[in-house]
Amino acid sequence: MDKTEALLKELTEAHGVPGYETDVREVIRKHLKPLGPISEDNMGSLICKRPGRFTEPVVMLAGHMDEIGFMVKHISSDGFIRFTTLGGWWDHVLLGQRVVLKTHKGDVLGVIGAKPPHLLSQDERTKLLQRKNMYIDIGSSSEKDVEKAGVRVGDPIVPVSEFTVLANPKTYMSKAFDDRVGCAVVIKALETLPPGSHPNTLYGVATVQEEVGVRGASTSVEIVNPDIAIILESDIAGDVPGIKPDESSTKLNGGPSLLLYDARMIPNLKLRDLIVDTAKKSKIPLQFTTMEGGATDGSVIHLHRHGVPTVVLGVPTRHIHSHNAIIHRNDFDNTVKLLKAVLQRLDKKKVDEIKSFA
């Protein structure tokens, strides 16, 4: 396992659902600490300053540290746990999955269960099983047993999934690639840029609570006050059965993706074109993507104060918002390579040009 694989493994296996990012925050802090002074906003986002040759312009690189998960909502008298979601889950992917409940007494393992298929009517079998009809089973038979285990209402619940190198050794499977892969891109870019080599001041930011309303981005951007922002994200790979090319043409091993539109942001066009031109000059494959049903941290960052030119670069990812997602190493490496090449071009003259509508 090389250093990049080890980083991705450590980041994705760390626990950190929205509002409960303590564990993953410390992992990210460890990797950012050698790269520059670190500060935090009052929500818990980490902000690492990486000085360059000049104090201006200020460029914000943002990836969110939180992952989708759950929270204990109710404990029944017979020892079963009802839960609510933290972030967007599709009910189809929940049943039968292992989860960890983070309690004051330590981690407690459980499984998401429901009425067994043998006892379902024919009509019930044809319908989507809704989350409200599911529960978490930790092997208890009473509310008292659950309390003895340390479980309380309000405890966070994390998907169980270990980082795995697949049959194709350049493909990796894990939970939380959305968006630990973006955090990893930020870390690797800052690590491999020689100190003072870039014509700007960089801020690598790992935001919190993106999955429940881009909350950490809203607060951390106030501290950074950037001239330019680049959001590093996972992107929805469309190279799986059932997705038409006009719905998504993004594929694994096709290169990083550039978001052209989402529900809450249209990227700055000059910054978008700089990305495209840089990819072409550097001979880095680049894909284009749109997302009509979602948004990123860029949705609030690009509206900061008088407006911040913002783009989103993504690492194509299959099966996001589930217990197991898949990425390709080439896409990760090319995203880091493209980001570094773009950062070298973002001097004051270029940024002033990007910000001008003349």
Side-chain angles (χ1 to χ4, degrees):
M1 181 172 288
D2 66 15
K3 290 183 178 180
T4 295
E5 287 180 358
L7 173 64
L8 290 169
K9 175 180 173 64
E10 188 175 16
L11 288 175
T12 56
E13 291 186 351
H15 294 167
V17 299
Y20 301 86
E21 295 96 345
T22 300
D23 291 353
V24 70
R25 179 166 41 246
E26 294 314 303
V27 171
I28 295 173
R29 189 195 305 275
K30 178 184 71 174
H31 288 280
L32 290 178
K33 189 175 181 179
L35 306 178
I38 297 174
S39 59
E40 296 181 12
D41 63 18
N42 292 335
M43 295 284 289
S45 300
L46 291 178
I47 303 165
C48 178
K49 182 179 181 180
R50 184 75 163 171
R53 295 196 304 273
F54 306 101
T55 57
E56 294 181 335
V58 172
V59 181
M60 181 177 183
L61 310 175
H64 67 88
M65 70 172 80
D66 59 312
E67 62 183 301
I68 57 170
F70 315 96
M71 186 180 74
V72 176
K73 182 180 178 181
H74 175 75
I75 302 170
S76 68
S77 59
D78 52 356
F80 295 99
I81 296 160
R82 300 290 180 174
F83 58 95
T84 190
T85 56
L86 297 175
W89 284 93
W90 190 38
D91 289 354
H92 261 311
V93 305
L94 299 180
L95 193 59
Q97 297 289 348
R98 292 188 180 196
V99 292
V100 166
L101 292 80
K102 309 286 290 182
T103 83
H104 67 289
K105 290 185 177 181
D107 291 351
V108 174
L109 187 65
V111 64
I112 298 177
K115 187 177 179 180
H118 313 73
L119 303 181
L120 295 176
S121 68
Q122 192 59 41
D123 182 58
E124 287 175 318
R125 288 174 183 236
T126 62
K127 294 180 179 179
L128 169 65
L129 183 67
Q130 296 181 326
R131 176 177 52 85
K132 67 180 181 179
N133 296 319
M134 301 180 194
Y135 51 81
I136 293 173
D137 186 350
I138 65 167
S140 297
S141 299
S142 69
E143 184 178 3
K144 188 175 181 180
D145 286 344
V146 176
E147 291 175 351
K148 283 183 179 179
V151 179
R152 299 170 174 171
V153 172
D155 283 344
I157 306 166
V158 184
V160 172
S161 177
E162 64 180 22
F163 178 88
T164 305
V165 179
L166 299 178
N168 176 348
K170 285 197 170 185
T171 55
Y172 309 141
M173 182 170 70
S174 185
K175 71 174 181 66
F177 277 130
D178 181 9
D179 182 34
R180 307 287 166 71
V181 71
C183 294
V185 169
V186 173
I187 291 168
K188 292 299 290 187
L190 295 183
E191 276 183 350
T192 54
L193 274 174
S197 65
H198 42 95
N200 41 51
T201 294
L202 302 177
Y203 284 86
V205 182
T207 65
V208 297
Q209 298 192 41
E210 189 268 358
E211 295 290 2
V212 291
V214 295
R215 297 172 186 175
S218 303
T219 50
S220 59
V221 71
E222 293 288 337
I223 294 175
V224 176
N225 192 27
D227 297 294
I228 292 286
I230 302 176
I231 314 303
L232 289 312
E233 262 286 2
S234 60
D235 186 27
I236 301 169
D239 58 342
V240 296
I243 298 180
K244 300 176 182 177
D246 63 317
E247 294 174 319
S248 173
S249 59
T250 307
K251 61 184 180 181
L252 295 194
N253 199 24
S257 65
L258 177 61
L259 188 65
L260 302 179
Y261 165 86
D262 69 32
R264 293 180 59 185
M265 190 189 82
I266 296 171
N268 176 276
L269 302 186
K270 289 183 179 180
L271 184 54
R272 176 203 67 185
D273 291 345
L274 176 67
I275 300 283
V276 174
D277 182 63
T278 303
K280 184 176 181 180
K281 288 183 176 179
S282 302
K283 297 182 179 179
I284 299 170
L286 182 65
Q287 307 184 81
F288 300 98
T289 185
T290 59
M291 183 169 59
E292 298 180 15
T296 72
D297 278 341
S299 62
V300 292
I301 291 173
H302 87 292
L303 297 177
H304 173 64
R305 299 189 68 185
H306 306 296
V308 178
T310 302
V311 293
V312 180
L313 284 177
V315 177
T317 308
R318 291 177 181 168
H319 320 305
I320 67 169
H321 283 222
S322 73
H323 276 61
N324 295 283
I326 296 174
I327 67 167
H328 197 287
R329 173 64 178 270
N330 289 351
D331 295 328
F332 179 85
D333 290 343
N334 278 322
T335 304
V336 174
K337 183 179 178 181
L338 178 57
L339 176 60
K340 289 167 60 178
V342 170
L343 294 175
Q344 296 288 15
R345 300 182 67 180
L346 288 175
D347 57 19
K348 190 174 189 310
K349 180 180 178 181
K350 176 56 71 174
V351 170
D352 287 345
E353 177 187 322
I354 290 171
K355 294 168 75 172
S356 171
F357 287 89

